[in-house]
Amino acid sequence: MQELAWYVTLVVVAVIIVIFLRVVALSRTVVEHDTVQGTASRLRVGLFWGLIILGVIVAAFSLRGIPQLAARAGGDVQVVNVDSMQWSWDIDEPELVTGVPVEFRVSSSDVNHGFGIYDPELRIVAQVQAMPGYVNVLRHTFDEPGEYQIMCLEYCGVNHHNMVDSIFVDLPGDAAADGTGDDTGADAS
Amino acid sequence: MSTQTTNAGAHGPDPVARRMIAANLAVVGLVLLLMMLFGILMRMAQGGWLTINDDLFYQFLTIHGTGMVGLAALGGVSVMWNFASHYMQVNGKVLVANFFLFLIGVVLILAAIFWGGYGGAWTFLYPLPAISGGIWSAGAAFWYLLGLLLVGVGILLVCLELGRGIITTFGGLASGLGWPYLFGMKNAVVPPKVIVATSMSVIVTTLAIIGGAVVIVLSLVNLMVPSFAFDPLWAKNIIYFFGHTIINATIYMTVTAVYSILPEYTNRPWQTSKIFVASWMGSTIMVLVIFPHHLLMDFAMPTWAMVMAQILSYTNSFPVMIVTGFGAVALVHRSGIRWDMASGLLFLSVFGWMAGVVPAVIDATIVVNSVMHNTLWVPGHFHFYLLLGMIPMVLGFMFHSTRDRGEGTVGHVSVKWMVPVYAVAGLGFVTMFLLGGANSVPRRWAVHLAEWMVYDQWAAVFAIIVTLMATLFVLRYLARLPRYLAATD
Ligand code: HEM
Ligand SMILES: [Cu+2]
């Protein structure tokens, strides 16, 4: 997902850069304003509908996979209660298995924190806010075993960057958590 | 500029306003450089090139965020006042009141941060100001929030005066927005573009500041009487309503410079059209309702609101992309525009605003937000439209207002390299934020892992170049100010 976001941004920004550079390059070759206006309004209409169609398609696909809906699905889950406080995590079940959805029930006992799950390659796979007085439910299914780090993703004061902990994901039936997984992490949020 | 509607008595800022606008922009320029310096220090610290205490880093973060948002608001209302007062009479004394409220606010904020140790960030997310883990006292948070409130009240006064001017001259804010014209009512006035933008900015800024003031006052009470608590999710909604709206409003204010100055340079008219009015109507509403895209990872929020946040964030990009951005490009295209500092910076600003929308829209997609929220992607997006959009608008206005053609000491070459260098370095700087975000680097972390430092180090280098260019721009402005002021007194 991160790569996709990055490359789409790169390409679209590059296109905008090219357009601006071209306009600068051509700025001295003067033509009538009306001529430019005519082309511009036709292009504008095209752009308008193009963006609408693109937006509808992207929204239709992307909204189906949102984590808010996943949290409501039924089925067997591994329940993990997470409490947070300045500046540590309290995770009642840090040993988990792959393949079975994990339901993180995340809260805070002081200020806002952010429960960010990093795979062994230091890539975020899912996150949810930890807010005092609320329990936010995040479901995530781990596909790859390994040690996943929990890092704080909401500014919570001077030790915010030290609010790091780990959870261990094993293959089902594997007793010992070895925590050295080096596979690419799941990206199924 | 526009032949449409003008008020007989209005010929631009009155003498008081003229001087206050110059003073405000001088303050904006100097504060900008100082805040950029704090920004460089933060990037160097994250990159491992500089060791500073964690609490000091977060104080820098807090002053940088607050100072930049504050100067954006001050610069925004100044630029907007300058152009709006060509179409209506407004009382420049209000700018004096704003100036002093701003200064008092700044003193309180500086004292709270560097003396009181407040490091709760400019978003003062409840209940962090009161629960610092022993780092800062309730008193420090109190003075910080009070200072912020004073700055906000000052900006509010300016907006109310501009709103009053629009109501008396154009018969109401709806007419200022051009709604009667849009809906084809008889004898409808066609407001100039500047007035449409000013009407929108005044409405959204006023509402934002009222919202912000409510949470600030509640937080102040909470600091004095800790047993007085309120709902953190509600507070977060209001805080982001305030924060999102105010920082976005600054660019809607400052774009008045683009609307007014670019047609002069291109010798082409840029008239109010129905598409234009409709797009600003859309912006007015959407800017006020899309703040929940800051709460996409609060699963306690109703899901329909999150879905709406994604969709409205998409549509909110339309006015910027298709109307203002596209319009400006068409205005300049093959126009024989005269390039100098002002026109170069203003054209750059249109680019920065348009391109900055792209990473924002992508991050407002909930499935992307799941892995990007509160990473460096977020500062990547807003530095894009602030550093390469909003700030170049203000700088362009500075050059234009002092009739600085970019000649003299730096020579006619100035526009040939200073603006492009600023642009390229700025682009490099924001790219490092975005790359960091794409690689899951969290935002607001005083200390980075070794894997992440390469982005921080490149960012520091780019930031130094950007800041050097900004220093040249601001110094030129300051150097020309005395002559500019003497010319009319
Ligand atoms: C040379 C230019 C600049 C540098 C080096 C710089 C650097 C930074 C850094 C390092 C951060 C913190 C990133 C993190 O979360 O780890 C930051 C945040 C921020 N910057 Fe800048 N910045 C610059 C220009 C600007 C400008 C021009 C504006 C606005 C007009 C701005 C507004 C902000 C805001 C609002 C934040 C968020 C603060 C927070 O998270 O509480 N910056 N900047
Ligand atoms: Cu934190």
Side-chain angles (χ1 to χ4, degrees), chain B residues 216-296:
Chain B
I216 290 179
V217 169
L218 289 177
S219 297
L220 288 172
V221 178
N222 168 256
L223 285 163
M224 291 186 293
V225 189
S227 60
F228 172 86
F230 43 99
D231 180 42
L233 187 59
W234 176 84
K236 191 173 178 186
N237 272 276
I238 308 293
I239 286 173
Y240 280 107
F241 167 70
F242 156 72
H244 174 89
T245 311
I246 192 88
I247 192 63
N248 277 271
T250 63
I251 198 160
Y252 290 99
M253 298 172 184
T254 325
V255 80
T256 51
V258 177
Y259 290 153
S260 307
I261 300 173
L262 271 190
E264 255 178 56
Y265 273 85
T266 56
N267 247 322
R268 284 174 171 179
W270 195 3
Q271 239 116 35
T272 309
S273 65
K274 288 203 172 172
I275 294 180
F276 180 88
V277 170
S279 91
W280 276 83
M281 176 162 91
S283 293
T284 312
I285 297 162
M286 287 184 293
V287 163
L288 289 172
V289 297
I290 62 171
F291 69 89
H293 67 204
H294 292 271
L295 288 96
L296 295 176

Side-chain angles (χ1 to χ4, degrees), chain A residues 32-79:
Chain A
E32 272 304 302
H33 188 207
D34 290 345
T35 325
V36 179
Q37 276 304 323
T39 325
S41 20
R42 277 196 304 282
L43 271 177
R44 196 204 303 264
V45 174
L47 192 64
F48 177 78
W49 288 110
L51 285 178
I52 297 242
I53 293 167
L54 183 72
V56 168
I57 293 174
V58 172
F61 278 98
S62 67
L63 282 170
R64 274 191 269 171
I66 64 175
Q68 283 89 343
L69 294 179
R72 286 192 208 136
D76 271 355
V77 292
Q78 318 173 64
V79 174

Side-chain angles (χ1 to χ4, degrees), chain A residues 6 13-14 17 21, chain B residues 348 351-352 355-356 380 383-384 387-388 420-434 462 466:
Chain A
W6 164 249
V13 171
I17 291 177
L21 287 180
Chain B
L348 169 65
F351 162 75
H383 282 89
F384 212 135
L387 187 66
L388 293 172
V421 170
Y422 179 92
V424 170
L427 203 55
F429 174 72
V430 297
T431 305
M432 291 306 125
F433 267 147
L434 292 172
F462 286 125
V466 168

